[in-house]
Structures are given as structure tokens and as C-alpha cells.
Amino acid sequence: MIETRAIASLETPALLLDPEKLKANVQRMHRRIAALDGVLRPHGKTAKSIDVMNLVSEALGDAGLARSLQSQGITVSTLAEAEYYAAHGYRDIVYAVGIAPNKLARVAALLRQGVKLTVLLDSLAQVQFLMAAGEREQISFGFLVEIDSDGHRAGIAADDPALLLIAEHASESQWVEFRGVLTHAGGSYDCRSVDAIKAMAEQERNAMLHAVAALQKAGFTCEMVSLGSTPTAQYAQSLEGMTEIRAGVYPFHDLVMAGLGVCQVEDIAISVLTSVIGHHSGQLIIDAGWMALSRDRGTAQQAVDQGYGVVCDEQGHVMADVIVSATNQEHGVVRHRHGHDLSAEEYPAGRLLRVLPNHACATAAMFSAYQVIQDHERVQAWPRINGW
Amino acid sequence: MIETRAIASLETPALLLDPEKLKANVQRMHRRIAALDGVLRPHGKTAKSIDVMNLVSEALGDAGLARSLQSQGITVSTLAEAEYYAAHGYRDIVYAVGIAPNKLARVAALLRQGVKLTVLLDSLAQVQFLMAAGEREQISFGFLVEIDSDGHRAGIAADDPALLLIAEHASESQWVEFRGVLTHAGGSYDCRSVDAIKAMAEQERNAMLHAVAALQKAGFTCEMVSLGSTPTAQYAQSLEGMTEIRAGVYPFHDLVMAGLGVCQVEDIAISVLTSVIGHHSGQLIIDAGWMALSRDRGTAQQAVDQGYGVVCDEQGHVMADVIVSATNQEHGVVRHRHGHDLSAEEYPAGRLLRVLPNHACATAAMFSAYQVIQDHERVQAWPRINGW
């Protein structure tokens, strides 16, 4: 029997997850990708929970969206995630953060377990330390080269000669295996309209097409051509030539995604349950500070700045003009956007509220468990991992 | 035998702690407070580690600063900290976050173990649910009333009639015990000069003197008169009339404290060890993103904006103009403040760097252990707790 408890009996702050919203978000995204004949490789970095990943798989099955996550592979942001998901049956994993030498012993251990773990790099120097480690560990490291499709962060340009040098260098060694190219259109988070996101998705794909063509001309085949971000996955018009698309936050969504037009505020599947613990100048003090909400201010540059989160009542009904305007370690300050008083009569000490996060990955990272809502009033705890 | 390993063998990111810097910071602060005949009640929320707290105690002993932390009491920000420190011999604990009803069963459990745990409130409503819980649990809850000394966050004004009402109401019940008043000059974090911090320290003390006088006139004695913040503790000119002063971040210090003039950048005792994992437009990509550094941008409003942290070389030598300018979940972008190129020759993939944090509490919270440096080259792991 599964143990549950009443939401009202939880200690605050606590991280709530609404599985019905999650399922709807997952099915919406996977239907879009299926319509483009694409394959989604979900990112495990937001959930960091095998139960959540299994729920995503289940939602796909319910919607007749065919293949299980286990068979189509996942993305991770840490080796802790790779080890955790691998231990639970996920055997095709892309570790989508540039590789460092001190991580190769753990990568090798996963490879020896038969996990198809693919690492990421963008320099000859990295190929070289991979080759040295391969020889030392007597195992071959499969890798992707990161392509910069938007000048946002990492990777090399699609027409950078280093791309061919890396592929050539790798082809001369049995200790490394060039598998293809990967890009992340992180710049899509700064888009100001849906049309801009659509254009970014096409820019992302074009960079990949260019890289693949250059490699092909030099005689190299890409087994994997991987691109993606939740905004570009949501609005991509074509995935032709791509073997997969990655997206992370879409099962949960958050205020940043809502601000981008990628979801509605009502679609956000996680929130932080908190108690009113004080009143000050028409504002409320709650027991969710940055330790619970994170310091993420992802909506600060968007059209609507949501502070540290939008407040809902205990049942989850959104109070759009009530936001968390400031945070200390264990204190949040809640105010009405237009300065209206929030009274102690309406919000007495001890009243429960929920806060929708700016950034689901950052807020979830502050917790070691999800409280998963069952029948609106009860919750079941699902553990999640953190760390590296 | 204590297990240690070479710093160079650590996987990145990792949280380094320099115990020599910590000891010096602790002794400097405690000497100042001792010179004012004050008693420091350190905050356990930054360290969240019994080993670190014991090191603080040891540093006090070494400096002849008499009383142990166990005897002089500590402050905490969560019940998880209270339970953890209590289990390790700390029996006089102030829980300095306004109390919520759903936490009282755990408070009662600690009280039954003989821990002198004092809770915080600032409304009659809170006294009332404390009384109800006291009767239910058959135990008396000792509490302090939070005084607002700077309009910064929580508490009631020193001349608010609610203060006397709370004390009177409490005196009529055996299930609650009024112990005195507490304030936190959080506004000191916004000070722009040492003189402003000195003035804030005196403002904080004056608010407390007013509250105590009003209570005394009405026949109420304050067993505890508690004030503090690291900046005002550092620069208080008098603690007359106060029974204790609280401070949290001073054993570690951070860039926010350095920006306030409370410490030097070289005093900062913690840093995040990271690897270079890429190069992009004269900038470095490192494997310390906001998941390691936190999203805290505490220096953004100070005279010198330090981005997400100041970079040091592997040995900890500060490179003052090299900062982490942007972060994603597991990626940090390092740039020279004046735009100078950071080359792959000087900073090859795999090179180790250290990042000094804006806010020690926030950065430490992203890790489950400190790597404590021994003899400059080796480290020993000390666990720390998180959560509530």
C-alpha cells in the first residue's frame, strides 16, 4: 500500500507536484514532436527522480505515444544523474555538459556496465585527454561535438575547422568514437515572441545541417544529430535531418516558460507549499525564502517580472497579482503587485499558500523530495537526487 | 586515521573550506564582541555542519575566548538544524524564523528532550496557536517577540502596543513563556559605508532598548535581549543592555561582506573548485553553474558587481578581474572584467580554478559536504545538512 498524507498536514516549505498537469504537459510536447516525425530525448536534470521519469513514460504510453523513455534515451547534466538513471534501467544517456578529466573514471565505470553513455566536447584538447583515459581504462569513449548555434554559451561554430580536426583525430584512435554533433539553443530563453522562438528553432537546425554537411564532405557520418531546448522543441516547424531533439523543463513548466508563451501559468506542475508566518506593512512574510524557492530571477528581464514567484491559494488557484517580491534564507515577502494591502484577517499566520517557481529546475533542486498530489488533498513523497 | 585525498584528485565542482581562514575570522569576531563584554550566539545556518561548529569552538578555545559554543548557545534557521545540532550536544537554541503551526510537534519533541529551544513570533495569533499546541502537547513553549529595527523584513515596531498585548496574553497561560525580544538588522546588508553600518548597529540596539523599557514599565522582564547580523556585530560600538548578539556568515565571509567592508576578499574561507570545460569568444566555460554557485547575485547592487563570483587559481590566489559573468545549471561563463581574452593556452580544458562566492550561505547550501583543506594540498570531507 502506498503511504499518503493530507496536504494540510505537511510541514512547510514543501515541494508539491501535480501529476495530472505533468501528464498533460508531457503529452502535448510529445505529440508535437511526433507530428514532426521527431524523437524526443528528455532531459533528466529537472526531475532528478526515477518516479517522475517513469510517470513521463506512463503518460506517453497512455497517449499511445509509442516508445518508452528507456528505449529512446535520456539526457543528463551530472554523472550522479547518469548513475542513478542507469541503475533504474535507462541505458542510452547523453551527458550534455563539456567533459572534464576528473570525471572520466566514473564515465568508464558506466561504460563497463554496458551503459551507452555519450559525452560532450568541443576541443582537440578534450579529445586528447579522452584518448589518454581510454587507453588507461582500456575502454572507448563515445562523444559528440558541441556546436554553437546562437552565440549563447558553449560549442564551436558549424564551419569551424576544429570540427573536422576533431573528427579526424578521433578516427585515428580506438579509444574514442566520434558519434555526431549536439547543440542547445539556450538563446531561445531570451526570445521575446513566439515568432522569434520559431526562427531560433530553424537557426538551431540550420547550424546542425551545416555541421553535418561539412563532416559528410570530409567523409564522416553522424550517428547522432541532437538539438533542442524546451522553447525550440515546442515551436520547431521541422526536424528534418535531426536524429533527436532534447527538452528538459517541459513536464513541469515554470513562469519563465509561461512568460515566453511556451505554456500557460495554469500548466505549471510544481509549486512550493508555504505558511504565512508574519505581516509587515501590508505584506506577508512566508516560510519559503530562497532556500526553498531558489534565488532564480528568470522573469526579471521578461515583460512581466514575477519576483521570486506567483502566489496561489492552498488549492492552487493562481492569484496573478500576488507575488513573492523578496527573499531571505528562510523568509519570503509576499506583496500585491499594485500595493494593495494583504491583511492578517485574510491571510492569518499559519495559512497555507503555494508559490509557482520562476525556474522549475532551480526550485526543485532545493528539495530532496516531491510531494505528489493524489485526489487534490493527499500527497505521496517521491525522492529526488541532487549533487554531482 | 582521518582519510584525506589530494585536491587535484577531486571531482568538480566541489566545495573547499580553508580552516585556517575560518579560525582567523572566528577569532577576530569573537575578540570584538568580547571587548564589548558581549556574548555571541553564532548562527548555524551557514555552516550546517557539526564539524564546522566544533572547529569554531576550538578556535575560541585556542584564542582563550573562554566559553564553548555548547554553553553559550546557537541560532538556527530550520528545525532540521535544531535537531541536528541538539543531537550533537547543543542544548540552547534560538529558532530565529517566525513560527508556523505545522512545526510545533517537532518543536515539542525537542523540548521534551530537554533542549532549551526558543521560538520566534510577532503576533497574538501566533501566541494563540502556541498556547493551543502547548495544551495539546502538555509542554510550555518559550518564545521571543521579533522587533523590527530597520523596516527591513519582519517584526513589530518597538512601540507597537501589540508587544505588551503579547506579553500580557502569554503571562496568563502556563503553555507559553515570554522570554524577551529579538531583532535582526538585515538592512545592514544594504549599507554603503562602515559609518552607515555603525549607525545601523546603534539603531538596532536602540530599538531593543525601547522595547525592553516599554515592557519593563508594564512589569515584564526580558530574560533575553538578542540582536545582530554579521555587519552590525563587526561594527557595533556598544552592546550595553543586550544579553547576546547573533551573527552567521562571519566564519566563512563572502564577497557581499567584502563589498560591505566587513572583511577582505582574501579572508573568504570557502570556494568552489571547478574545471575549465570549454572556451568561447575569449571566455572560459567552467563546470560550476548555478547548481554549484547558487543564483545569488548579492553584489549586483554593491559598488563592485562580482557577477556570480571572483575566480582564483587552483592554489586560491585571487584574480580580482576575472569573474563568473553568467551561469546555467551546470555551466559557468568566466570572463575578464575588462574584456581581455582568457586563452586556451593559459586556461586549457581540465585546468582547475576556484570561485569565491557572493553569498556563503547560498553557495554552501548547494553541497552536501565541505572538502576541508589540510596542508594546502589535501582535503578531508566533512558532511553538512540541508532541507527542513
Side-chain angles (χ1 to χ4, degrees):
Chain A
M1 205 187 108
I2 295 157
E3 228 179 285
T4 68
R5 57 188 291 186
I7 292 178
S9 79
L10 286 172
E11 280 176 53
T12 50
L15 180 64
L16 299 179
L17 168 61
D18 182 332
E20 299 308 320
K21 290 188 178 186
L22 179 139
K23 282 186 202 169
N25 292 337
V26 165
Q27 292 174 359
R28 197 164 57 243
M29 176 64 87
H30 284 255
R31 277 206 186 89
R32 282 198 59 86
I33 302 304
L36 298 174
D37 284 330
V39 174
L40 193 65
R41 180 188 284 276
H43 209 310
K45 80 183 174 79
T46 309
K48 299 208 185 205
S49 156
I50 190 64
D51 299 301
V52 171
M53 288 302 249
N54 288 344
L55 184 62
V56 170
S57 265
E58 188 191 311
L60 297 182
D62 289 353
L65 290 160
R67 302 207 290 167
S68 73
L69 286 190
Q70 278 90 339
S71 68
Q72 76 188 42
I74 60 168
T75 317
V76 299
S77 70
T78 65
L79 288 179
E81 290 165 44
E83 290 162 350
Y84 169 77
Y85 289 121
H88 288 90
Y90 292 77
R91 312 298 285 180
D92 176 359
I93 301 177
V94 170
Y95 173 34
V97 177
I99 193 69
N102 59 47
K103 298 184 169 104
L104 293 176
R106 280 168 76 191
V107 172
L110 281 165
L111 295 176
R112 271 193 286 271
Q113 289 169 28
V115 177
K116 187 186 176 191
L117 180 64
T118 305
V119 301
L120 186 65
L121 55 81
D122 66 359
S123 67
L124 264 182
Q126 286 166 301
V127 178
Q128 280 155 358
F129 66 61
L130 226 54
M131 281 164 53
E135 191 161 5
R136 194 171 60 239
E137 303 271 356
Q138 292 287 301
I139 205 152
S140 173
F141 291 100
F143 70 88
L144 300 173
V145 179
E146 184 163 12
I147 302 295
D148 175 22
S149 57
D150 60 0
H152 180 66
R153 180 172 74 193
I156 55 178
D159 59 0
D160 191 321
L163 176 57
L164 301 185
L165 284 178
I166 288 171
E168 276 161 24
H169 203 68
S171 69
E172 291 158 15
S173 166
Q174 64 180 299
W175 306 116
V176 289
E177 182 198 341
F178 168 74
R179 292 203 176 132
V181 285
L182 174 148
T183 192
H184 168 61
S188 65
Y189 278 63
D190 302 322
C191 286
R192 289 285 172 275
S193 69
V194 165
D195 281 345
I197 300 175
K198 287 182 184 173
M200 181 63 79
E202 199 51 17
Q203 177 181 323
E204 192 182 17
R205 189 173 74 95
N206 278 331
M208 297 304 270
L209 292 175
H210 269 89
V212 170
L215 285 159
Q216 228 154 15
K217 206 172 147 191
F220 298 105
T221 312
C222 291
E223 171 196 337
M224 297 173 75
V225 184
S226 176
L227 82 178
S229 73
T230 288
T232 54
Q234 177 77 13
Y235 287 112
Q237 304 296 298
S238 166
L239 293 174
E240 215 183 311
M242 307 295 112
T243 64
E244 63 182 40
I245 181 159
R246 306 180 323 282
V249 80
Y250 72 95
F252 292 167
H253 281 315
D254 54 29
L255 293 168
V256 167
M257 288 299 128
L260 282 167
V262 171
C263 70
Q264 302 297 313
V265 169
E266 288 71 18
D267 296 331
I268 300 172
I270 63 169
S271 61
V272 173
L273 187 73
T274 180
S275 299
V276 175
I277 57 169
H279 304 84
H280 198 268
S281 316
Q283 304 180 351
L284 311 176
I285 314 291
I286 57 174
D287 65 357
W290 57 251
M291 190 64 92
L293 299 174
S294 91
R295 268 286 192 205
D296 197 282
R297 289 282 288 106
T299 56
Q301 307 305 321
Q302 293 189 330
V304 180
D305 181 344
Q306 306 284 23
Y308 287 90
V310 168
V311 177
C312 308
D313 67 14
E314 184 184 340
Q315 282 74 41
H317 302 115
V318 177
M319 303 190 276
D321 285 328
V322 182
I323 61 171
V324 181
S325 59
T327 53
N328 295 118
Q329 187 156 342
E330 298 291 348
H331 297 78
V333 178
V334 173
R335 64 185 293 269
H336 192 282
R337 197 185 295 277
H338 305 299
H340 304 164
D341 268 10
L342 303 174
S343 70
E345 288 67 43
E346 195 174 351
Y347 300 95
R351 180 171 167 183
L352 294 175
L353 299 170
R354 299 187 194 178
V355 181
L356 300 175
N358 278 326
H359 188 170
C361 309
T363 300
M366 307 313 279
F367 291 85
S368 58
Y370 298 94
Q371 302 295 334
V372 183
I373 301 170
Q374 320 277 326
D375 301 324
H376 304 290
E377 283 186 5
R378 299 188 70 78
V379 288
Q380 185 190 344
W382 288 7
R384 49 164 285 145
I385 63 160
N386 279 310
W388 296 268
Chain B
M1 206 187 108
I2 295 158
E3 228 179 285
T4 68
R5 58 188 290 184
I7 291 177
S9 79
L10 285 172
E11 280 176 53
T12 51
L15 180 64
L16 299 179
L17 168 61
D18 183 329
E20 299 309 318
K21 290 188 178 187
L22 179 139
K23 281 185 202 169
N25 292 337
V26 165
Q27 291 173 359
R28 196 164 56 246
M29 176 64 89
H30 284 255
R31 277 206 186 89
R32 281 199 58 86
I33 303 304
L36 299 174
D37 284 330
V39 174
L40 192 65
R41 179 188 283 276
H43 208 311
K45 80 184 174 83
T46 310
K48 299 206 186 208
S49 155
I50 190 65
D51 299 302
V52 171
M53 288 302 250
N54 288 344
L55 184 64
V56 171
S57 265
E58 189 191 311
L60 298 182
D62 289 354
L65 289 161
R67 303 207 289 169
S68 74
L69 286 190
Q70 279 90 340
S71 68
Q72 76 189 41
I74 59 168
T75 317
V76 299
S77 70
T78 65
L79 289 179
E81 291 165 44
E83 289 162 350
Y84 169 76
Y85 289 122
H88 288 91
Y90 292 76
R91 311 300 284 180
D92 175 0
I93 300 176
V94 170
Y95 173 33
V97 177
I99 193 70
N102 58 48
K103 298 185 169 104
L104 293 176
R106 280 169 76 191
V107 172
L110 281 165
L111 295 175
R112 271 193 285 271
Q113 288 168 30
V115 177
K116 187 187 175 190
L117 180 64
T118 304
V119 301
L120 186 65
L121 55 82
D122 66 358
S123 68
L124 264 181
Q126 285 166 300
V127 177
Q128 280 156 357
F129 67 61
L130 227 56
M131 282 165 52
E135 190 163 5
R136 194 171 60 238
E137 303 272 355
Q138 293 287 300
I139 205 152
S140 173
F141 292 100
F143 71 88
L144 300 172
V145 178
E146 185 162 13
I147 302 296
D148 174 21
S149 57
D150 61 0
H152 180 67
R153 182 173 73 192
I156 54 177
D159 59 359
D160 190 321
L163 176 58
L164 303 184
L165 283 177
I166 288 171
E168 276 161 24
H169 203 68
S171 69
E172 291 158 13
S173 167
Q174 64 181 298
W175 306 117
V176 289
E177 182 197 340
F178 168 75
R179 291 201 178 137
V181 285
L182 175 149
T183 193
H184 168 61
S188 64
Y189 279 62
D190 302 322
C191 285
R192 290 287 172 274
S193 69
V194 165
D195 281 346
I197 300 175
K198 287 181 183 173
M200 182 62 80
E202 198 51 18
Q203 178 182 323
E204 192 183 16
R205 190 173 72 96
N206 278 331
M208 297 304 270
L209 292 175
H210 270 90
V212 170
L215 285 158
Q216 227 155 17
K217 206 171 146 191
F220 298 105
T221 312
C222 291
E223 172 196 336
M224 298 172 74
V225 184
S226 177
L227 84 179
S229 73
T230 287
T232 55
Q234 178 76 15
Y235 287 113
Q237 303 298 297
S238 165
L239 293 173
E240 215 184 309
M242 308 296 110
T243 64
E244 64 182 39
I245 181 158
R246 305 180 323 283
V249 80
Y250 71 96
F252 292 166
H253 280 315
D254 53 29
L255 293 169
V256 167
M257 289 299 128
L260 282 167
V262 172
C263 70
Q264 302 297 311
V265 169
E266 289 71 16
D267 296 331
I268 299 173
I270 63 169
S271 60
V272 173
L273 187 74
T274 180
S275 299
V276 175
I277 56 169
H279 304 85
H280 198 268
S281 316
Q283 305 180 350
L284 311 176
I285 314 291
I286 56 173
D287 65 358
W290 57 251
M291 192 63 93
L293 300 173
S294 93
R295 270 284 193 205
D296 197 282
R297 289 282 289 105
T299 56
Q301 307 304 321
Q302 292 189 331
V304 180
D305 182 343
Q306 306 284 23
Y308 287 91
V310 168
V311 177
C312 308
D313 68 14
E314 184 184 340
Q315 283 73 42
H317 302 116
V318 177
M319 303 190 277
D321 284 328
V322 182
I323 61 171
V324 181
S325 60
T327 54
N328 293 119
Q329 187 156 342
E330 298 292 348
H331 296 78
V333 178
V334 173
R335 66 185 292 269
H336 192 283
R337 197 185 293 279
H338 306 299
H340 303 164
D341 268 10
L342 304 174
S343 70
E345 288 67 43
E346 194 174 351
Y347 301 95
R351 179 171 168 185
L352 294 175
L353 299 170
R354 297 187 194 178
V355 181
L356 300 175
N358 278 327
H359 188 170
C361 309
T363 300
M366 307 314 279
F367 291 86
S368 58
Y370 299 93
Q371 302 295 336
V372 184
I373 302 170
Q374 321 276 324
D375 301 323
H376 304 291
E377 284 187 5
R378 298 189 70 78
V379 289
Q380 184 190 346
W382 290 4
R384 49 163 285 142
I385 62 160
N386 278 310
W388 296 269

